[in-house]
């Protein structure tokens, strides 16, 4: 069952971290800065609670959503326009067949050793959601990283504001200094980590690329350069088309992790030399 995915130590650690950051932001930083019962304190508490709630909601969507599996009846069509490129035709017969599952793999599909199956448009297996990040839950994963980053940066700003207005000479060598050092290290480290992850996936999304395809592209680019040729990622359709292929054409639904009606079957994808084809 999908709910069994929550029976995982990394997921338990994520919930503990979320609870810790939520507690220190509201009951340490905001309380010591302006007070939770003040108008400013209530505003910051509500704003941060919204970011935290949306992060948790997106987290649940990531965990419970199947990233996408290959239909049992799938057989690649070597005459398909999407596979008319010589490189794709050459790879269909060997690289596109999973030796472990003994089934054909569609474009951008890879086998996950942890999940023990092939995943559509696989980006990576994430132990923190105990699930693969693939075709159907990549949008939710991106939104999770986005809101978690905003929430952690917000928490860091509130913490810094709290520290700057505090009279440390009065506190002396009290245990509060240890508490503030621990809290500050946590929120600053989390902000930097999530911020880096967000920048990485913004880069991947704007180039219509997965993490696996990025590293495959590094090797392909090196081989192309070695032979005096140039390499271009075949699924890069331009920034706008790349973004809308993940978040959807309706900007009002870009930040809704469950709004995935724009996604198709995850088996075939447009390639750069065929951008005139309808989605």
């Amino acid at each position: 069952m999908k709910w069994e995915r929550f029976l995982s130590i990394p997921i338990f650690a994520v919930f503990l971290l979320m609870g810790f950051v939520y507690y220190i932001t509201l009951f340490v930083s905001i309380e010591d800065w302006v007070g939770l019962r003040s108008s400013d304190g209530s505003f910051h508490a509500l704003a941060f609670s919204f970011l935290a709630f949306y992060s948790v909601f997106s987290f649940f969507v990531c965990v419970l959503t199947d990233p996408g599996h290959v239909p049992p009846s799938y057989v690649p069509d070597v005459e398909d326009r999407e596979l008319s490129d010589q490189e794709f035709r050459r790879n269909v017969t060997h690289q596109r067949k999973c030796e472990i599952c003994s089934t054909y793999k569609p474009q951008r599909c890879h086998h996950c050793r942890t999940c023990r199956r092939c995943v559509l448009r696989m980006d990576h297996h994430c132990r923190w959601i105990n699930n693969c990040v693939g075709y159907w839950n990549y949008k939710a994963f991106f939104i999770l990283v986005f809101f978690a980053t905003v929430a952690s940066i917000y928490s860091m700003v509130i913490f810094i504001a709290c520290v700057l207005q505090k009279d440390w000479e009065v506190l002396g060598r009290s245990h509060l200094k240890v508490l503030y050092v621990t809290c500050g290290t946590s929120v600053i480290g989390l902000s930097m980590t999530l911020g880096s992850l967000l920048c990485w996936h913004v880069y991947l999304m704007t180039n219509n690329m997965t993490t696996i395809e990025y590293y495959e592209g590094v090797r392909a680019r090196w081989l192309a350069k070695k032979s005096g040729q140039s390499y271009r990622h075949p699924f890069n359709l331009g920034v706008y088309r790349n973004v809308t292929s993940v978040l959807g054409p309706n900007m009002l639904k870009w930040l809704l992790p469950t709004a995935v009606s724009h996604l198709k079957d995850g088996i075939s994808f447009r390639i750069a030399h065929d951008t005139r084809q309808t989605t």
Side-chain angles (χ1 to χ4, degrees):
M1 295 178 62
K2 293 181 179 180
W3 290 97
E4 292 180 352
R5 294 175 185 164
F6 287 99
L7 302 178
S8 165
I9 293 178
I11 286 186
F12 182 68
V14 169
F15 281 126
L16 282 180
L17 181 60
M18 287 180 174
F20 175 72
V21 173
Y22 187 80
Y23 177 83
I24 64 175
T25 301
L26 265 67
F27 302 105
V28 176
S29 299
I30 296 179
E31 178 65 31
D32 287 354
W33 179 33
V34 291
L36 277 174
R37 296 186 178 182
S38 67
S39 58
D40 289 341
S42 298
F43 170 78
H44 288 296
L46 287 174
F48 184 77
S49 295
F50 169 77
L51 295 174
F53 167 78
Y54 215 88
S55 297
V56 172
F57 174 64
S58 300
F59 180 77
F60 270 77
V61 175
C62 286
V63 174
L64 297 175
T65 302
D66 190 310
H69 63 277
V70 182
S73 59
Y74 172 75
V75 176
D77 182 6
V78 296
E79 298 300 328
D80 196 294
R81 282 188 66 192
E82 296 291 340
L83 298 173
S84 59
D85 186 270
Q86 183 179 359
E87 179 181 355
F88 278 85
R89 291 172 65 96
R90 184 172 61 252
N91 291 340
V92 156
T93 57
H94 51 95
Q95 292 185 0
R96 291 294 88 196
K97 188 168 184 177
C98 180
E99 297 179 356
I100 301 176
C101 298
S102 298
T103 57
Y104 287 104
K105 295 187 297 183
Q107 302 172 48
R108 316 184 78 176
C109 177
H110 295 274
H111 184 88
C112 175
R113 295 181 180 179
T114 304
C115 295
R116 298 180 181 179
R117 66 187 179 99
C118 290
V119 177
L120 297 178
R121 195 187 180 275
M122 179 179 174
D123 187 89
H124 69 287
H125 182 89
C126 180
R127 68 176 62 185
W128 304 109
I129 64 173
N130 197 21
N131 197 8
C132 270
V133 177
Y135 185 69
W136 288 102
N137 65 348
Y138 183 77
K139 178 181 179 179
F141 177 80
F142 181 84
I143 294 174
L144 166 63
V145 175
F146 175 78
F147 274 96
T149 301
V150 174
S152 61
I153 292 176
Y154 192 13
S155 176
M156 180 180 68
V157 171
I158 293 175
F159 175 80
I160 293 175
C162 175
V163 169
L164 291 178
Q165 61 89 40
K166 212 152 189 64
D167 189 350
W168 294 102
E169 294 183 359
V170 175
L171 290 176
R173 296 183 177 180
S174 69
H175 65 282
L176 286 178
K177 282 189 175 182
V178 178
L179 174 63
Y180 273 87
V181 170
T182 303
C183 295
T185 303
S186 300
V187 296
I188 293 174
L190 185 62
S191 298
M192 293 178 63
T193 301
L194 290 175
S196 300
L197 184 62
L198 177 62
C199 291
W200 169 246
H201 280 281
V202 167
Y203 169 78
L204 292 178
M205 183 172 63
T206 53
N207 286 276
N208 200 358
M209 190 182 300
T210 66
T211 300
I212 295 176
E213 289 170 350
Y214 170 81
Y215 289 106
E216 289 179 340
V218 170
R219 173 176 170 77
R221 193 174 294 107
W222 177 78
L223 292 174
K225 184 178 180 180
K226 190 176 180 180
S227 60
Q229 300 176 346
S230 60
Y231 171 81
R232 180 188 178 188
H233 182 57
F235 301 106
N236 189 348
L237 308 176
V239 175
Y240 178 75
R241 284 192 176 95
N242 294 340
V243 171
T244 55
S245 68
V246 175
L247 301 182
N250 189 346
M251 295 181 65
L252 298 178
K253 297 182 179 180
W254 275 12
L255 297 180
L256 297 177
T258 56
V260 292
S261 59
H262 61 285
L263 299 179
K264 306 303 180 183
D265 55 9
I267 293 178
S268 60
F269 299 87
R270 292 192 303 177
I271 54 180
H273 65 70
D274 195 23
T275 56
R276 293 174 297 177
Q277 181 180 344
T278 58
T279 55

